[in-house]
Amino acid sequence: MNNFPYIDILILAMVAVFIINRLKNTLGKKTGNEHDLAEKYSGKHFKESKPDKISRSRDKKQIDTSERFFHNNPVLNDQLKNINKIDNSFSTENFLDGAQKAFEYIIKEYSEENIISLKNLLGKNIYEMFEKQIKNRSQKKENLDINIIGIKEVEVIGVELKKNLAKIKVKFLSEQVQVTKDEKEKIIDGDPNQILMITENWTFSKDLKNKNPSWLLEKIEETN
């Protein structure tokens, strides 16, 4: 009976030796990754800095005009690129979006004879031409109704840049219904049931140094 305490002590000692050996084998075992881990956390050779450098170089490319794309045609692409060098806010997508909205708005206001509302959107010559045509219709007591059914194509087909003055020619292919009526609402020209496929080239101009973001319509050419 008196030997039991010594047996307990012996068992505890054996358990302690076993635990110490297990810890020694686990903590002291080399895996071959010690060098990599040391470098990783020491900061001396932190290999993960490379992606940051690539990312920064990509950011530079994104704001570098020479890497930007403006048109499928190389000549037009270079000319549009030169516009962007003067006006960094310029992009083909935004310009064409604005041109299409201007196309729809100008035709609507012109057909409704609201010439004053177009004064800040038209160049001098085309404004005077529109004004003259509206006066002629008014004298004849005629009304022109133009309804744009849809715009099928909007494309930059010409670019000209002289100093800060830029001119961009845009091709519009649209479906329209055009009807002219007299004062009694009788149709004297056109067919309300006929959809016309109309192709026109509109030329817009802008002083790139001018803070006014608007482009002016300078010329309209109807093509076959």
Side-chain angles (χ1 to χ4, degrees):
M1 296 293 292
N2 295 331
N3 292 331
F4 286 152
Y6 297 102
I7 294 174
D8 292 341
I9 293 172
L10 181 61
I11 292 173
L12 291 174
M14 292 175 64
V15 170
V17 171
F18 175 77
I19 292 173
I20 290 172
N21 287 333
R22 292 283 295 181
L23 290 174
K24 182 178 180 182
N25 290 337
T26 301
L27 298 177
K29 185 177 181 180
K30 292 186 178 181
T31 64
N33 296 323
E34 292 81 2
H35 179 70
D36 294 339
L37 291 171
E39 285 189 349
K40 181 176 180 180
Y41 292 105
S42 67
K44 293 180 180 179
H45 300 283
F46 192 47
K47 296 182 180 180
E48 308 201 349
S49 61
K50 289 185 178 179
D52 293 337
K53 293 180 180 178
I54 294 173
S55 177
R56 286 195 291 271
S57 65
R58 285 177 180 171
D59 291 341
K60 288 181 180 179
K61 285 186 177 181
Q62 288 175 356
I63 62 175
D64 186 355
T65 303
S66 64
E67 298 294 331
R68 294 187 62 181
F69 179 77
F70 294 89
H71 201 283
N72 290 323
N73 184 307
V75 176
L76 296 180
N77 184 65
D78 288 342
Q79 292 171 326
L80 293 170
K81 191 182 297 182
N82 289 333
I83 291 177
N84 176 263
K85 288 179 181 179
I86 300 174
D87 180 2
N88 294 331
S89 66
F90 175 85
S91 72
T92 307
E93 294 78 9
N94 289 340
F95 171 80
L96 288 178
D97 180 64
Q100 180 170 328
K101 291 176 181 177
F103 178 82
E104 296 172 331
Y105 180 78
I106 290 172
I107 288 179
K108 175 180 176 294
E109 296 299 294
Y110 168 74
S111 66
E112 294 177 359
E113 301 183 356
N114 297 327
I115 188 63
I116 300 299
S117 65
L118 298 177
K119 192 166 186 177
N120 294 327
L121 297 176
L122 306 178
K124 180 180 178 182
N125 292 337
I126 199 165
Y127 180 85
E128 292 176 351
M129 182 185 73
F130 276 14
E131 187 177 41
K132 183 177 179 181
Q133 292 173 350
I134 289 173
K135 285 182 179 179
N136 288 339
R137 290 203 304 267
S138 180
Q139 290 174 356
K140 296 178 181 179
K141 296 182 179 181
E142 295 176 351
N143 295 314
L144 173 63
D145 294 332
I146 301 178
N147 183 20
I148 299 176
I149 305 301
I151 299 176
K152 298 297 183 180
E153 185 178 343
V154 183
E155 179 187 7
V156 173
I157 60 172
V159 182
E160 181 181 336
L161 179 61
K162 292 183 178 180
K163 293 185 178 180
N164 297 325
L165 181 62
K167 291 185 179 181
I168 300 180
K169 183 182 291 188
V170 181
K171 173 186 174 183
F172 290 98
L173 175 60
S174 63
E175 295 178 329
Q176 300 182 21
V177 175
Q178 298 185 359
V179 176
T180 303
K181 300 177 182 178
D182 62 16
E183 59 181 330
K184 296 181 180 180
E185 292 296 308
K186 180 182 178 181
I187 297 175
I188 57 178
D189 187 32
D191 184 349
N193 298 315
Q194 181 183 12
I195 297 178
L196 305 173
M197 292 293 293
I198 298 177
T199 302
E200 292 179 331
N201 297 332
W202 286 32
T203 300
F204 297 89
S205 71
K206 184 180 187 298
D207 180 353
L208 300 177
K209 291 295 185 179
N210 193 326
K211 294 183 180 180
N212 187 340
S214 299
W215 289 71
L216 299 179
L217 175 62
E218 298 287 354
K219 188 176 181 181
I220 295 178
E221 303 168 280
E222 187 169 345
T223 63
N224 295 326

